[in-house]
Amino acid sequence: MKFINDLLHVKFLKRYKRFFVDVLHQNKKLTVHCPNSGSMLGLLNKNSNAWISESKNPDRKLKFTLEILNDGKSNVGINTILANKIIEEAIINKKVKELKNYKEVKREVKFGDHTRFDFCIDNRVFIEVKNVTLCRKKKIAEFPDAITSRGLKHLEELQKATKNGYKSYLIFLVQREDCNKFKIAEDIDQDYHKEFIKAKKNGVNFLAYSCKVNTKEIFLDNKIKIIF
C-alpha cells in the first residue's frame, strides 16, 4: 500500500481525547488526527520521530493524519484504517500463501444479523483483520493493547461461521518490522485470551504477518510464528 503523497517528518508531542495528537513540524506545533482508537501502549513517547500525511480535502477539520511512529525499535504503522487495505492488496497479489488459491475477494460482508467481517473470499471463507502495534518483549508482537469487547465478539462470530460450514481466518497484521513472533497479551485481556484458545479449538484459523513500514509504503512482509 503506497502513500499517495510524501509523508512529513515530525516530532511526536502528545495524544489526547483519543483521536487528537500534537506534533512539532519545523518548530511549529500542529494538531493532527490520530486514526487509532487503541491505547497505543509503548508508542506515545514525547519527541519520538513520527510521520504525518496531508489531506487535500478542503472540508476536513484536521488537515493532517498521523501515519507512522518510531518507538526506538521500529517504524510502526498506527493507522488502523490501512490494515484492511494492506491485507486486501496482499491477498490479491497472492502474498498470503494460505489464501492464494482463492479468487473473488469481497469487502465488509454481512454474517448473521449484527456482524460484518472484513472480507469474504469465494463466498465461503470469512476473514477478520486486527492491526497490531504492541511490542513489549524483544521481537514479540502482542494483541490487544487494551481490553477489546469488539475483538471478543469477532472471535465468537468467527466460531459461529465455522460451525455453519464456512472457513474462518483471523489475521493479526503486525505493522512493524522488528517482530518474528506473536502472542495474545493475556495480562491485558484475559477474556480475549480465553476466547482465542477456544476459537482455535473450534476450527478458526489464525495467521500473523509482519510488515515493511517506511515513508513511501507499508506492505506485507513475513509470516511470523504464533506462540500459544
Side-chain angles (χ1 to χ4, degrees), residues 5-192:
N5 301 304
D6 290 343
L7 301 186
L8 301 177
H9 176 251
V10 297
K11 291 289 186 178
F12 174 84
L13 296 178
K14 67 176 181 178
R15 179 199 192 193
Y16 52 101
K17 296 181 180 178
R18 292 178 76 186
F19 299 110
F20 292 84
V21 164
D22 284 345
V23 299
L24 193 65
H25 177 60
Q26 297 179 347
N27 295 319
K28 180 181 178 181
K29 188 173 79 170
L30 302 174
T31 298
V32 307
H33 174 59
C34 178
N36 189 315
S37 61
S39 74
M40 296 174 66
L41 180 65
L43 300 179
L44 305 178
N45 304 311
K46 188 175 180 179
N47 293 322
S48 293
N49 288 314
W51 289 265
I52 60 176
S53 61
E54 182 178 359
S55 173
K56 301 302 181 183
N57 182 354
D59 297 323
R60 256 188 64 159
K61 184 175 181 180
L62 294 177
K63 186 178 181 180
F64 299 98
T65 299
L66 183 64
E67 302 288 357
I68 298 172
L69 278 169
N70 188 294
D71 64 353
K73 297 178 289 185
S74 173
N75 284 341
V76 183
I78 63 90
N79 191 336
T80 58
I81 297 170
L82 299 185
N84 282 9
K85 294 181 180 179
I86 295 166
I87 288 295
E88 182 179 27
E89 182 180 89
I91 292 173
I92 291 172
N93 292 326
K94 310 296 183 183
K95 299 297 184 182
V96 183
K97 65 178 183 179
E98 294 83 1
L99 303 172
K100 66 181 182 180
N101 293 324
Y102 298 103
K103 297 178 181 179
E104 185 183 26
V105 181
K106 295 180 181 178
R107 305 176 188 174
E108 295 290 326
V109 178
K110 189 174 181 181
F111 173 74
D113 295 328
H114 307 290
T115 300
R116 285 185 182 274
F117 290 122
D118 290 325
F119 300 103
C120 184
I121 301 179
D122 292 356
N123 296 316
R124 57 193 179 96
V125 181
F126 282 118
I127 301 169
E128 186 65 23
V129 178
K130 295 301 176 189
N131 192 62
V132 180
T133 60
L134 179 61
C135 176
R136 293 181 292 179
K137 295 182 180 180
K138 188 175 181 180
K139 295 183 181 289
I140 301 177
E142 297 181 88
F143 180 89
D145 63 3
I147 291 175
T148 173
S149 57
R150 186 168 181 266
L152 187 67
K153 178 192 172 186
H154 285 144
L155 286 177
E156 295 168 346
E157 293 299 304
L158 285 169
Q159 290 174 81
K160 290 179 184 177
T162 301
K163 290 177 182 177
N164 284 335
Y166 294 92
K167 198 164 186 177
S168 301
Y169 282 88
L170 196 155
I171 302 177
F172 294 103
L173 182 70
V174 181
Q175 279 203 64
R176 52 189 305 146
E177 301 181 332
D178 61 335
C179 296
N180 58 21
K181 294 179 183 177
F182 169 85
K183 67 188 289 280
I184 300 299
E186 181 179 2
D187 62 314
I188 292 177
D189 193 336
Q190 293 183 4
D191 290 337
Y192 188 86

